[in-house]
Amino acid sequence: MRNMKVALALLAILPMSANLAFSMAITNQDGEVRKITVTENGERQDFEIGPNETTTLCEQGCFITFPDGTLTAYQGSETIVIRNGGPALSN
Amino acid sequence: MNHTHTEFPPSIRRFGKFFSALVILFFFHIPSFAQEAAPVTENRSVLQSAVAELEQLRGVVENPDSSDAALASAKVEFVKLSKSIFDLALAVSAHLTKVDGQIASLGPAPETGALPEASAISEARVKLQQEKAEALVTLKEAEALAVTLSNMLSDIARLRSENFTNRIFTRQPISRTVIDDLVGEYSKELERIEFTFSNWVRLLKRDVSSRTLPPLLISLVLAGLILLARRTVLAPLTQRALLDNPKPYLSRVFSALWTTLIPSLSVAVSLGVLYFTFLSYSLLPFRVKEIFGATLASLALMAFVLFLSSAILAPGKRYWRLFEIPEKAALRLNILVSAVAFVYFGDYLFAEIREAMSSPVSFSIIANSISTLILAVFFALILLTKLDNEDDISGSTNGWAHWIYWPMWVAIIVVVGAVMTGYISFARFLTSQIVITGGIIVAMYICFLSSREVSHHGALGESAFGVYLTHRFKFGMATIDQLGLLLGIFIFLTTLLVGIPMILLQWGFQQDDVQSWFTNTLGEFTIGDTRISSANIFLAIMVFIIGVFLTRIFQRWLGSSVLSRTRIDSGLKNSIGAGVGYIGFIITALLALSYTGIDLSSLTLIAGALSVGIGFGLQNVVNNFVSGIILLVERPIRVGDWVVVGNTEGFVKKISVRATQLETFDRQSIVVPNAELINTTVGNWMLKDKTGRLIVEIGVSYSANEEEVRDILLKIAQDDARIATEPAPHIHFKDFGDNALIFEIRVFLKDVSEIVHVAGDMRFRIRKEFRNVGIEIPFPQRDIHVHNSVTPAVKRSQKGRSK
């Protein structure tokens, strides 16, 4: 009976832990290297993402400036792709 | 026949609870309580006010005279600003995406040279482009602000640590000049103090009756009243008799509490009244006021520590002690702690006097060095007190815990070294930390011990509080134990949550820092998509616990007040009570879960998968469980009934939730699953009433008079009290048998369970009556016909006989 309780508790925790992945994933769907500027916690940093590469960054919210000039604020849990130098939500 | 009430055995009760939990998971989908994003406000004005606030706060940061407290609250404001700006940026980004979509839906702009588009569309396009441009500008500004804010935050951190270092680590060695200064100013300083003091005495003497006496008298009277109260009303709380065996820990703690609080408060109140009456009668001129106040305050604090220490260590009263240490150690520690308090508060008093008199710095340097060194010596003496018994050769720490002993020695050495090398402020800082933090840790330790004690089995039950609870709410032993455990956990958590911030405050963190620590621990944090708040989880647990207790109390009330006034069978009452309990449990759990804000939709997936397996495995048990409930509600059989199930028959002894126990006439117990009782045909002799039919067959000789037989049999039937008169006994002439005339006595019994006895008794009487009247009960009859021819066998035998 006790083992059963433990097993059930573990099973119950599993789906909750599935939500623990944080930070944002960016995929570069263009054919060339794209450079983005990320301002996270007040610090500006440049990132280069190669073609068809995916990077994770930005855990708790950041500003991202894309090659085509788009500036957007993100919360940190989105999944984004870069298309034609600009952002698009992946679907 | 008695009908005993049905009981759910503990395993079934637990199963019922588990089942209810599954019900919650299966059938209810709790909406997640994720909070809404910040609404989109007027962006520009928000941004502008943010910039204004930033400039204001920047002024605070760049002001070299800003206190540490100001810097800390500025930091908190910056963090808030940062968050609101980012929320704004998120909202604007979302808005921007929408605008982009609207622009796209307008269709592509016309090429140069092609037909121009309709004016409405081009106007809309222009407007949307404008909005987009504005939004972009706002975003850029927000980003720039975020960078600025983060820079300011690091500036603040740097400034604060610089300030702290400057404050603590100034070097003020005891040099030649300092000592010369001291010697030179010493007599002058004394003169100044004497002058102030004599001025004051003169002031007091001037209008003795009208100005000096009244406050003195008031204070004396009040002190007298307090003393009286302590001797009479409050005495039981503070009395500590010499005992033979240790009191329960909780009682000791409470007694320590009262023996500390009451004397300390009375001293504090008396001294406070003295101070305030003197103040209101304008008897405290400049400088005297500070010194007088400081003297009274340090007296009160010293008294408090003395009371506290003797309350906890209880020298001479071994069984009241709150720590397990030998008598000698308690005595010595008490003296040392009182000495430490004396020096510490005395030093505080002298510091206040120095401040009031604006004494030169050299005085402070010397005084601080001396007091710090004395305190270090006392600390060392405390550590050298043996806490373990004489014969324990165990550790090298004299019985102190390792994590106290070694760091303390290091601290003592550091303090002495700091004084020697001139870092007086640092040494002073360290010693006051040791004293105050030590005090807080001692208090926390006592609370922890108390929480552990309360959780022990039966501890709460024995205490006065526990006894009160048992009487008021009629809790059982197990419930009190659970309450004790809960109370213990609660005390433990509260101690942590109160003690740690106090220590942090003591160590120089500002209130804002502590508050932000607090909110971070208790407040929300986001894990991915789920927003979890530990305060909410705690709240949820409290709600659940309260709900469960309320359910139980409701159940009890229902059972005692409502159900007892009905005529429902007690088994049914029991099941109603249990049912109400399960419903209450489910509702409470739902409420509590809704508080946590955890999204349960992922759980329902697991629950669905489980339910398939459980459904298959448990179908029989659930079948029986449900059948049991049907049995209790519909009651085709009751306890005490004589039932026939298939080939088994017996009396129903107990109806449980899964199965029913029958007892056969052989006193064998047969356990029948309830499903069988519901799904198959069950005969119940006593369902409607207790009557039943008895048929006794009797064969009578053909030579008897049948009328006479009938009369006799009828009389026998009517004579027996156990035979019902309605329907009337009936004598049935059944058959002309091969051997006899067959009669049947057909009667109905009042209580069919006596059928065997009645039948037997009846047969005895029949036999007796027949013998009296001479009626014969024949054996099987044969007519034998003998033929006349003499057979050789007969001749031979006759010959043999004559020989």
Side-chain angles (χ1 to χ4, degrees):
Chain A
M1 190 69 191
R2 182 166 178 277
N3 285 333
M4 200 167 82
K5 282 187 202 163
V6 170
L8 271 177
L10 286 177
L11 275 177
I13 292 178
L14 260 178
M16 287 205 274
S17 58
N19 286 333
L20 277 181
F22 32 359
S23 73
M24 206 168 99
I26 299 192
T27 312
N28 181 2
Q29 282 184 352
D30 288 339
E32 48 181 24
V33 172
R34 293 291 184 203
K35 194 164 76 155
I36 56 174
T37 312
V38 178
T39 308
E40 188 178 355
N41 283 340
E43 277 184 34
R44 279 211 186 89
Q45 217 180 354
D46 285 337
F47 279 93
E48 278 188 9
I49 314 182
N52 295 324
E53 253 180 42
T54 311
T55 328
T56 45
L57 28 71
C58 188
E59 271 130 38
Q60 282 175 328
C62 54
F63 293 87
I64 304 188
T65 316
F66 290 88
D68 69 347
T70 322
L71 170 62
T72 325
Y74 290 106
Q75 203 167 34
S77 48
E78 300 93 334
T79 318
I80 317 250
V81 299
I82 303 182
R83 252 184 238 141
N84 302 325
L89 282 168
S90 74
N91 36 359
Chain B
M1 192 83 47
N2 291 329
H3 292 258
T4 53
H5 70 271
T6 60
E7 239 176 43
F8 289 28
S11 54
I12 299 299
R13 251 180 259 138
R14 261 181 260 139
F15 169 73
K17 286 214 168 84
F18 174 59
F19 183 69
S20 324
L22 286 183
V23 165
I24 300 162
L25 289 179
F26 295 2
F27 296 121
F28 291 91
H29 174 84
I30 315 294
S32 77
F33 265 50
Q35 292 170 0
E36 302 295 323
V40 180
T41 52
E42 280 293 359
N43 302 334
R44 295 236 48 97
S45 60
V46 168
L47 216 54
Q48 274 166 355
S49 60
V51 170
E53 206 177 328
L54 181 87
E55 289 309 313
Q56 199 184 34
L57 289 170
R58 188 199 294 268
V60 170
V61 173
E62 289 173 358
N63 180 1
D65 290 330
S66 294
S67 70
D68 195 53
L71 287 175
S73 48
K75 170 185 158 198
V76 170
E77 288 304 317
F78 275 131
V79 169
K80 272 200 266 189
L81 252 184
S82 186
K83 180 158 196 308
S84 61
I85 288 181
F86 192 72
D87 284 340
L88 174 70
L90 280 175
V92 170
S93 293
H95 185 58
L96 191 57
T97 322
K98 233 177 33 178
V99 168
D100 268 339
Q102 285 172 336
I103 293 181
S105 70
L106 282 180
E111 306 278 322
T112 41
L115 283 169
E117 50 183 5
S119 59
I121 298 184
S122 63
E123 271 174 27
R125 188 186 297 276
V126 164
K127 206 167 72 129
L128 284 175
Q129 301 277 26
Q130 231 177 4
E131 263 189 66
K132 181 171 171 179
E134 269 180 30
L136 268 174
V137 166
T138 313
L139 274 178
K140 277 207 156 47
E141 281 184 20
E143 192 202 8
L145 263 177
V147 175
T148 317
L149 278 170
S150 132
N151 289 340
M152 304 244 73
L153 277 172
S154 30
D155 277 345
I156 290 184
R158 189 177 41 87
L159 273 172
R160 287 180 75 192
S161 74
E162 270 177 22
N163 285 349
F164 182 76
T165 331
N166 287 343
R167 224 168 18 103
I168 302 293
F169 287 103
T170 40
R171 190 148 181 264
Q172 294 166 308
I174 306 178
S175 59
R176 191 84 232 185
T177 32
V178 169
I179 298 188
D180 285 341
D181 199 40
L182 176 74
V183 169
E185 300 287 327
Y186 183 67
S187 40
K188 225 195 309 180
E189 205 56 30
L190 270 182
E191 260 179 41
R192 287 175 68 205
I193 294 178
E194 210 185 343
F195 180 64
T196 317
F197 189 65
S198 53
N199 257 354
W200 186 44
V201 171
R202 221 174 322 169
L203 172 67
L204 288 178
K205 277 200 204 153
R206 199 164 61 195
D207 289 311
V208 173
S209 46
S210 63
R211 283 180 74 190
T212 316
L213 267 186
L216 269 177
L217 279 176
I218 294 176
S219 315
L220 274 174
V221 165
L222 194 72
L225 280 174
I226 293 178
L227 205 64
L228 193 70
R230 276 182 58 187
R231 284 284 155 82
T232 52
V233 176
L234 298 171
L237 285 171
T238 55
Q239 249 168 21
R240 288 182 145 192
L242 280 169
L243 298 170
D244 290 329
N245 34 20
K247 272 222 164 227
Y249 197 76
L250 278 180
S251 319
R252 280 187 266 169
V253 170
F254 275 116
S255 149
L257 194 71
W258 298 128
T259 38
T260 310
L261 273 182
I262 293 179
S264 310
L265 276 178
S266 35
V267 166
V269 166
S270 314
L271 289 178
V273 165
L274 188 65
Y275 179 79
F276 282 110
T277 46
F278 265 58
L279 192 65
S280 55
Y281 275 81
S282 311
L283 288 173
L284 296 177
F286 173 63
R287 279 201 192 147
V288 176
K289 180 169 115 175
E290 280 84 14
I291 299 179
F292 192 58
T295 316
L296 293 183
S298 40
L299 277 175
L301 286 167
M302 264 189 248
F304 169 69
V305 173
L306 268 132
F307 290 132
L308 183 67
S309 142
S310 69
I312 295 181
L313 293 170
K317 299 196 181 157
R318 170 159 175 227
Y319 292 116
W320 287 100
R321 203 165 296 152
L322 291 185
F323 296 123
E324 284 300 315
I325 50 181
E327 180 68 36
K328 239 173 48 167
L331 206 56
R332 193 170 130 143
L333 275 181
N334 195 25
I335 296 175
L336 284 172
V337 168
S338 314
V340 163
F342 186 69
V343 171
Y344 186 78
F345 291 119
D347 178 60
Y348 158 75
L349 176 60
F350 284 135
E352 289 294 310
I353 295 179
R354 283 197 303 273
E355 174 138 349
M357 306 289 306
S358 308
S359 312
V361 178
S362 48
F363 278 63
S364 304
I365 298 177
I366 303 287
N368 287 341
S369 317
I370 295 178
S371 64
T372 320
L373 281 174
I374 296 180
L375 280 176
V377 167
F378 281 146
F379 290 150
L381 284 175
I382 287 179
L383 282 181
L384 289 172
T385 315
K386 282 197 186 317
L387 287 189
D388 44 18
N389 288 319
E390 302 284 332
D391 33 2
D392 276 344
I393 347 164
S394 47
S396 46
T397 63
N398 286 334
W400 291 91
H402 281 269
W403 62 271
I404 299 180
Y405 195 75
W406 301 114
M408 272 290 285
W409 273 119
V410 169
I412 292 174
I413 293 174
V414 167
V415 163
V416 172
V419 171
M420 295 307 181
T421 51
Y423 288 98
I424 312 282
S425 311
F426 176 59
R428 199 140 185 272
F429 172 72
L430 205 53
T431 38
S432 60
Q433 292 314 326
I434 293 175
V435 170
I436 308 257
T437 313
I440 298 179
I441 290 184
V442 164
M444 283 174 74
Y445 184 60
I446 293 180
C447 287
F448 285 141
L449 285 180
S450 311
S451 83
R452 220 181 46 185
E453 277 295 317
V454 165
S455 330
H456 274 172
H457 289 302
L460 187 62
E462 283 170 5
S463 76
F465 184 50
V467 168
Y468 163 72
L469 278 180
T470 327
H471 277 169
R472 178 80 174 76
F473 294 109
K474 309 229 183 341
F475 288 143
M477 264 315 285
T479 321
I480 291 279
D481 260 354
Q482 287 164 0
L483 254 184
L485 183 65
L486 275 175
L487 203 58
I489 295 176
F490 177 71
I491 293 178
F492 179 78
L493 283 176
T494 317
T495 315
L496 270 183
L497 287 176
V498 168
I500 292 184
M502 278 180 71
I503 295 182
L504 287 180
L505 278 173
Q506 179 54 30
W507 279 82
F509 288 88
Q510 291 299 336
Q511 173 144 13
D512 286 316
D513 293 321
V514 176
Q515 255 180 337
S516 45
W517 173 84
F518 230 58
T519 38
N520 276 342
T521 334
L522 294 188
E524 277 184 6
F525 44 99
T526 329
I527 300 185
D529 278 339
T530 340
R531 278 174 117 99
I532 301 183
S533 156
S534 16
N536 274 357
I537 292 183
F538 182 70
L539 208 68
I541 295 176
M542 293 307 305
V543 163
F544 182 71
I545 292 169
I546 293 174
V548 165
F549 272 109
L550 279 178
T551 314
R552 282 212 207 155
I553 292 178
F554 178 67
Q555 254 181 304
R556 212 157 311 195
W557 171 81
L558 198 69
S560 60
S561 308
V562 174
L563 288 178
S564 59
R565 288 169 209 227
T566 62
R567 292 198 292 144
I568 306 177
D569 180 71
S570 59
L572 190 55
K573 278 187 208 164
N574 206 348
S575 39
I576 290 180
V580 164
Y582 290 148
I583 292 176
F585 179 77
I586 293 177
I587 294 179
T588 308
L590 283 180
L591 268 177
L593 277 174
S594 71
Y595 263 92
T596 59
I598 296 178
D599 187 9
L600 285 182
S601 48
S602 26
L603 279 179
T604 50
L605 224 94
I606 301 266
L610 271 178
S611 66
V612 177
I614 291 179
F616 277 120
L618 286 179
Q619 57 182 326
N620 278 334
V621 179
V622 173
N623 193 3
N624 287 331
F625 182 65
V626 174
S627 306
I629 295 181
I630 296 178
L631 274 182
L632 285 171
V633 172
E634 185 201 325
R635 301 175 352 106
I637 61 172
R638 290 156 304 186
V639 172
D641 285 357
W642 176 11
V643 300
V644 180
V645 189
N647 288 336
T648 348
E649 63 177 318
F651 290 103
V652 177
K653 270 294 178 251
K654 184 165 154 180
I655 306 181
S656 307
V657 180
R658 184 198 78 82
T660 300
Q661 288 178 23
L662 302 179
E663 191 179 274
T664 64
F665 305 118
D666 300 333
R667 289 283 186 272
Q668 180 196 38
S669 288
I670 299 189
V671 178
V672 183
N674 289 338
E676 197 170 315
L677 291 170
I678 295 291
N679 293 331
T680 59
T681 324
V682 170
N684 189 348
W685 283 101
M686 298 164 163
L687 184 60
K688 268 197 344 205
D689 54 29
K690 286 193 191 171
T691 60
R693 190 167 70 167
L694 166 63
I695 301 181
V696 173
E697 194 179 285
I698 176 80
V700 169
S701 155
Y702 269 90
S703 57
N705 181 347
E706 59 276 3
E707 302 285 332
E708 201 185 347
V709 168
R710 181 171 62 192
D711 290 338
I712 293 175
L713 291 179
L714 198 58
K715 191 160 108 24
I716 293 175
Q718 287 165 341
D719 270 351
D720 199 328
R722 296 171 289 192
I723 294 175
T725 45
E726 189 66 40
H730 172 66
I731 309 302
H732 176 56
F733 194 153
K734 186 169 172 189
D735 201 7
F736 295 100
D738 292 340
N739 312 307
L741 298 170
I742 302 183
F743 289 88
E744 269 183 356
I745 308 180
R746 293 175 160 211
V747 297
F748 281 91
L749 299 175
K750 289 178 186 167
D751 188 349
V752 72
S753 60
E754 308 197 316
I755 190 169
V756 173
H757 294 295
V758 174
D761 289 346
M762 209 185 283
R763 291 194 179 98
F764 275 112
R765 277 207 68 188
I766 293 173
R767 188 86 171 108
K768 187 166 133 205
E769 295 296 323
F770 281 2
R771 205 183 296 131
N772 285 347
V773 197
I775 298 178
E776 200 186 302
I777 304 177
F779 286 104
Q781 308 280 314
R782 287 286 175 270
D783 286 330
I784 300 181
H785 302 277
V786 181
H787 296 286
N788 249 336
S789 56
V790 179
T791 57
V794 176
K795 276 201 187 131
R796 238 180 282 140
S797 71
Q798 279 181 337
K799 247 198 211 157
R801 226 184 297 137
S802 58
K803 270 204 183 125

